[in-house]
Amino acid sequence: MNIVIISDFTSRELFIVEKIIAEYPSAVVVQPVSGLQKTENKSNKKHSLKQFINRITWKIHRLLWDRKFYPDKNFPEIKNNLFIPFSILNRPEGIRIFSDLAPDVIITCRAPLLCKDLIQIPEIAAVNIHFGLSPNYRGNDTLFWPLYYKDYSHLGGCIHHITPGIDTGNILAEVYPPLGAYDGEIAVDYNTTVLLAEAAVQYLKATERAGTRLPGKPQKEKGRNFNLSDRSFGKSLSYLMKRSVGLSLPPKRQGKIVTHFMPSD
C-alpha cells in the first residue's frame, strides 16, 4: 500500500511518522517548506508584541516536546523525505507531484489545509491526525483548550477523513490519553501522541486488509474551531497559575483507543 504523509513536523509529529514508517518503510514523507520572507507590521506595536510573545511561547513548547519525545536528542532520520515549497502545495505543480506519487492513502499531521483536487488524489482515502477531539475541539491548540476549560471528557485526539472543512470529516478513531492528577499540557501531549501513533497504524492495517475506504463515524455537530490567536499569553498564564495551586488538576483515568473503522465498530 502506497502511503504519503504530509507534515511540517515537530518532534511530536516525528514520533508518529516514525511509528508509521516502522510498519510501512516505503511511505513517503512530504514536508512543505516556506520560501516567503517574513515581514513585520511596525505600525501596530501591540500586534507585533503579541506575535513576538507567541513565537517565544511556541519555541519553548517545541523545546519541551523535544526533551519529552527524544530526551537523548537522537532524532530518527526520515529517508523518503520530499521537500516542496508551501506556495505550490495546492497548485497544479504540487498536485502533479502528488499524482505522480500515486498514493493509496494520504495522511496529514500538522499540515496546511489541502484543496479539493489534492484530497481526491489518493486511491483510497485522505485522512488527518488531529490533536484534539472533533467536533468539540477543531483547529489549533486543541489539547490546551479542554485543559483550560477543565473539559476532560473531551481531552484527546482523533483520526478523521479530510474534507474541505477544518477537521470536519468522518471520525475513524478517537484516543483518550491516560491522565494523572498532576499531568499538564506536555504530559497530555505525549500520552495523546503515543495513542495516536498506535491508532494510525491500526487504521492503516485495517485499510490494507479491506482494500477500500473505511466509512468512519459522521460528525453530527458543528463544534468549535479554535484559531491560533485565541490562545493569548494571559490565558496560558492563567491556566498555569490555576494548575500550580491545584485548581486545574485532571482526574485520574486509563487511556483508551476507540475505533470507527467499520459500521459495526
Side-chain angles (χ1 to χ4, degrees):
M1 186 165 68
N2 292 336
I3 299 169
V4 173
I5 305 168
I6 306 175
S7 181
D8 179 15
F9 44 70
T10 65
S11 54
R12 183 175 70 171
E13 289 77 31
L14 182 59
F15 182 91
I16 295 176
V17 170
E18 180 185 13
K19 300 305 179 184
I20 293 174
I21 290 178
E23 297 290 336
Y24 296 92
S26 62
V28 176
V29 179
V30 177
Q31 184 174 4
V33 293
S34 176
L36 300 176
Q37 293 183 345
K38 296 182 179 179
T39 60
E40 293 185 359
N41 183 3
K42 295 182 179 180
S43 64
N44 190 335
K45 294 183 179 180
K46 183 177 180 181
H47 183 62
S48 298
L49 178 61
K50 182 178 180 180
Q51 287 183 328
F52 174 75
I53 293 174
N54 286 343
R55 285 198 297 268
I56 296 298
T57 303
W58 175 237
K59 287 181 180 180
I60 292 173
H61 217 79
R62 292 188 67 155
L63 178 61
L64 292 173
W65 278 344
D66 289 348
R67 291 180 177 178
K68 185 69 175 179
F69 287 99
Y70 299 100
D72 56 359
K73 297 184 180 181
N74 186 23
F75 298 98
E77 180 182 357
I78 305 300
K79 295 181 179 180
N80 297 331
N81 203 357
L82 174 64
F83 295 92
I84 69 170
F86 172 86
S87 59
I88 71 166
L89 181 65
N90 287 307
R91 294 183 178 179
E93 309 97 294
I95 292 171
R96 281 195 295 270
I97 291 173
F98 285 97
S99 295
D100 291 342
L101 292 172
D104 294 303
V105 176
I106 284 180
I107 301 174
T108 63
C109 186
R110 183 174 163 79
L113 294 177
L114 305 184
C115 68
K116 184 177 179 180
D117 289 341
L118 217 165
I119 294 170
Q120 294 176 343
I121 286 176
E123 184 69 23
I124 296 176
V127 302
N128 179 50
I129 297 174
H130 176 55
F131 289 86
L133 285 171
S134 295
N136 300 79
Y137 294 94
R138 299 182 292 111
N140 299 280
D141 291 312
T142 40
L143 291 178
F144 167 77
W145 290 112
L147 287 171
Y148 180 81
Y149 291 123
K150 296 190 281 189
D151 185 14
Y152 303 116
S153 62
H154 292 114
L155 176 60
C158 66
I159 301 172
H160 62 82
H161 284 134
I162 298 175
T163 62
I166 300 175
D167 303 324
T168 56
N170 285 10
I171 302 293
L172 295 157
E174 297 162 315
V175 307
Y176 298 83
L179 295 175
Y182 295 97
D183 283 348
E185 190 175 359
I186 297 301
V188 169
D189 266 321
Y190 180 81
N191 291 331
T192 301
T193 302
V194 171
L195 291 183
L196 281 173
E198 183 179 344
V201 171
Q202 288 182 14
Y203 161 73
L204 289 171
K205 289 184 175 180
T207 298
E208 191 171 29
R209 290 193 299 269
T212 189
R213 181 184 179 93
L214 303 177
K217 179 184 72 171
Q219 298 189 46
K220 297 181 180 180
E221 300 176 4
K222 185 178 180 180
R224 179 177 174 182
N225 178 53
F226 290 84
N227 297 313
L228 280 172
S229 58
D230 291 331
R231 181 176 181 176
S232 65
F233 177 74
K235 285 187 172 64
S236 296
L237 184 61
S238 174
Y239 163 70
L240 290 174
M241 291 180 65
K242 289 179 181 179
R243 182 170 172 261
S244 67
V245 297
L247 296 178
S248 290
L249 301 180
K252 292 183 179 180
R253 76 177 185 197
Q254 298 294 315
K256 65 178 179 179
I257 297 175
V258 179
T259 63
H260 305 284
F261 298 155
M262 296 296 185
S264 58
D265 282 353

